[in-house]
Amino acid sequence: MSLQFGYKALTVAVVSGLAATTAQAAGLDRSGQDITAFLQNGTYAEAVYTYIDADVKGKDTVGNAVPDMANSYDFFRYGVKTDINDTFSVGVLYDEPFGASVQYKGVNNFVSQGGDNTITSLTNGRMPDLATAQNSLLRLNAGFQGLANINQMLQDADPAFAGFLQAQKDEIEQRILTATGTNNLQEAQAAATRLGAAINASKTAEIQKDEGTSVDIRTNNITMLVGAKFGANKNFQIYGGPAAQRLNGEVKLRGTAYNAMTGYDARIATDTAVGWVAGAAFYKPEIALKAALTYRSEIEHNSTIAEAVPALATSTNRDFSVSLPSSWNLDFQTGVNPTTLLTAKVRYVPWSDFDIRPPSYGAATQRATGTALPIVSYAKDQWSAELGLGKKLSDRLAVSGSVGYDSGAGNPATSLGPIKGYYSVGLGAKYNITPEWSLSAGGKYLKFGDAEAQLPTKAIVGKFEDNDGYIVGVKLAYQSK
């Protein structure tokens, strides 16, 4: 015997995948790019508010405590759709799919402790303070200038005087080699250049004393969808449309964890670019079955980025491009009995193909390491899944529960987001204010996986363990069938 649920009863129970508490952890993922508002029957509109507070703390490599470095943040999502007729539907969705909000605090290697501390770290303890480093560089530069002068004099020197000049040259060379701990003048010149870069970084660190590493990246997305149902009972639907995405961001690196890149600043100018969305869905209303697979394309942003690299004493404003990744979302629901609904969500994002490569950052790291490095990259792709159960308690009230898993994007993880995925458990409730209007609220607890913080150079700079967070959200929805 088939189960006759009826849409009106079923939507009361659809809260286990409560959109008010959707959030992801891998890479820069935030909203999960949910499109289920478009899959609703009739005319539908929703406004969703989500607040996320994560506690991500740990220790740097020398054992200093790193207090909670993950800022709390919130975002909105809106959706509206309507059926033109029994075949065609249109909808517009807004969300904030990708982002990051990081602020390091305390006394540790991710916070600037001043110029003396920085020069000591960058020279591996050879320079006890900034003044000593500056004096050493002055003497080295004077030595190199002296060698240049002697070489010029040797070209025209009387043979009787040449021996004296050569002895002076040998003495100066030996002093330079001893001071730099190198074996030849070419290596000594490179060492002097590195010392100059360290001094520039240390001077900036003194100005930035007590400032912590921070990241603020935000995106805004508007998706326009058109869908067409087909089949004898209109059980199948295909849909698609353009997605316009706006991006801006700011990164500040502070503290000795970032070596010669300490003090680095970058600001990405706001850019809007367009991608596309396509998907297919299957419906069987008599058992409340609904399944949809949605693909979102990669979106490439071409903008400018203002960078300041203290180690090189440079500030630039150059062309910059970054591609935010594609994704696959699977949404599924089915009735278990006339008052119970089972839901499932699966999401895949290929974060291993993503990186952020500011040009001046790359040039500086190439000078230091021989390779132009990205400021952020990820080792693995993200898989996330959530399983939920909604229960109708009355014509007005339904409750739900869910469990979830997010794989993260690899461990070691970037120091700008040292989390290795999470496990989650959530509770939600939905109340029908009128037959058309409903209010949903819910919360999730997240248990984050332990992660080592890693620089693009592959150096481990911290360990973050025993961290968790929570999400709360509220959704106001209208539906007229």
Side-chain angles (χ1 to χ4, degrees):
M1 181 177 69
S2 65
L3 298 174
Q4 298 297 322
F5 290 88
Y7 245 111
K8 191 168 184 178
L10 260 293
T11 53
V12 176
V14 181
V15 290
S16 57
L18 187 63
T21 58
T22 297
Q24 314 297 321
L28 302 176
D29 222 350
R30 274 192 172 174
S31 73
Q33 298 182 298
D34 188 89
I35 59 97
T36 53
F38 183 76
L39 304 178
Q40 303 303 314
N41 197 35
T43 297
Y44 179 83
E46 68 177 22
V48 182
Y49 171 77
T50 302
Y51 175 83
I52 300 177
D53 190 354
D55 185 16
V56 182
K57 58 187 184 302
K59 292 184 177 181
D60 64 19
T61 50
V62 295
N64 294 318
V66 180
D68 180 17
M69 48 70 70
N71 286 334
S72 60
Y73 63 90
D74 58 4
F75 58 87
F76 289 90
R77 193 178 76 241
Y78 307 101
V80 60
K81 64 86 58 176
T82 190
D83 295 331
I84 298 174
N85 51 41
D86 64 353
T87 298
F88 293 103
S89 302
V90 294
V92 178
L93 308 175
Y94 167 84
D95 72 336
E96 300 175 23
F98 304 110
S101 185
V102 169
Q103 179 64 66
Y104 279 93
K105 300 175 288 290
V107 180
N108 53 69
N109 290 348
F110 302 99
V111 178
S112 176
Q113 305 301 321
D116 289 347
N117 179 280
T118 301
I119 195 66
T120 299
S121 175
L122 294 180
T123 60
N124 296 318
R126 289 185 292 107
M127 298 295 166
D129 52 54
L130 186 54
T132 301
Q134 290 175 301
N135 289 334
S136 296
L137 184 59
L138 285 173
R139 289 195 298 271
L140 283 173
N141 287 338
F144 285 119
Q145 184 60 52
L147 286 180
N149 292 339
I150 290 175
N151 284 332
Q152 183 65 38
M153 293 170 65
L154 279 170
Q155 292 180 10
D156 303 315
D158 182 273
F161 189 54
F164 171 76
L165 290 175
Q166 185 62 50
Q168 289 292 101
K169 178 181 176 181
D170 292 343
E171 182 180 345
I172 294 173
E173 283 186 358
Q174 189 58 50
R175 286 205 303 266
I176 291 174
L177 296 178
T178 300
T180 56
T182 55
N183 295 319
N184 57 61
L185 287 179
Q186 186 175 1
E187 291 179 4
Q189 185 65 69
T193 300
R194 289 194 298 270
L195 179 58
I199 288 171
N200 289 336
S202 298
K203 287 179 178 178
T204 302
E206 185 62 32
I207 297 171
Q208 297 169 343
K209 189 173 182 179
D210 298 326
E211 290 185 19
T213 296
S214 64
V215 179
D216 185 18
I217 296 175
R218 281 192 174 266
T219 59
N220 309 85
N221 221 83
I222 294 179
T223 303
M224 291 158 279
L225 295 175
V226 176
K229 291 183 178 179
F230 58 94
N233 298 311
K234 303 294 184 181
N235 292 110
F236 296 92
Q237 183 183 37
I238 56 173
Y239 52 89
Q245 185 178 92
R246 185 175 67 176
L247 164 72
N248 58 63
E250 186 175 16
V251 177
K252 297 180 179 180
L253 303 183
R254 303 290 186 265
T256 57
Y258 298 98
N259 297 306
M261 295 309 296
T262 185
Y264 171 84
D265 287 340
R267 183 184 292 274
I268 302 170
T270 300
D271 178 70
T272 300
V274 178
W276 54 273
V277 181
F282 173 74
Y283 305 89
K284 194 171 183 181
E286 59 268 25
I287 59 169
L289 189 149
K290 185 188 299 182
L293 181 63
T294 307
Y295 173 78
R296 285 182 177 269
S297 74
E298 179 182 88
I299 297 180
E300 182 177 359
H301 291 271
N302 294 293
S303 181
T304 60
I305 185 169
E307 297 177 86
V309 186
L312 301 183
T314 60
S315 295
T316 60
N317 196 330
R318 301 168 64 181
D319 291 339
F320 170 73
S321 65
V322 61
S323 295
L324 291 175
S326 60
S327 65
W328 290 91
N329 278 30
L330 174 66
D331 295 280
F332 175 84
Q333 70 171 53
T334 187
V336 177
N337 59 46
T339 62
T340 307
L341 192 75
L342 176 70
T343 64
K345 291 176 175 287
V346 178
R347 176 168 168 82
Y348 169 75
V349 184
W351 283 110
S352 63
D353 296 333
F354 169 85
D355 59 34
I356 300 177
R357 292 180 176 271
S360 293
Y361 182 93
T365 55
Q366 183 166 35
R367 180 174 176 176
T369 68
T371 303
L373 299 173
I375 194 170
V376 173
S377 63
Y378 300 101
K380 295 184 178 180
D381 297 340
Q382 170 201 8
W383 284 94
S384 61
E386 182 176 272
L387 187 65
L389 203 63
K391 179 69 176 178
K392 175 187 173 185
L393 301 181
S394 70
D395 287 340
R396 288 183 177 270
L397 181 65
V399 295
S400 68
S402 66
V403 292
Y405 166 75
D406 189 300
S407 68
N411 186 33
T414 171
S415 64
L416 305 182
I419 293 173
K420 183 184 179 294
Y422 64 78
Y423 291 93
S424 71
V425 58
L427 294 173
K430 179 178 179 180
Y431 182 75
N432 275 14
I433 303 169
T434 71
E436 291 80 25
W437 289 92
S438 66
L439 183 67
S440 302
K444 283 182 185 175
Y445 171 77
L446 310 177
K447 180 60 178 175
F448 298 125
D450 297 343
E452 291 183 306
Q454 178 179 260
L455 299 183
T457 60
K458 306 303 181 183
I460 301 299
V461 291
K463 180 172 284 189
F464 294 77
E465 300 177 316
D466 300 323
N467 292 313
D468 57 11
Y470 67 87
I471 307 169
V472 293
V474 61
K475 174 171 70 174
L476 180 64
Y478 170 85
Q479 186 168 27
S480 174
K481 306 182 182 95

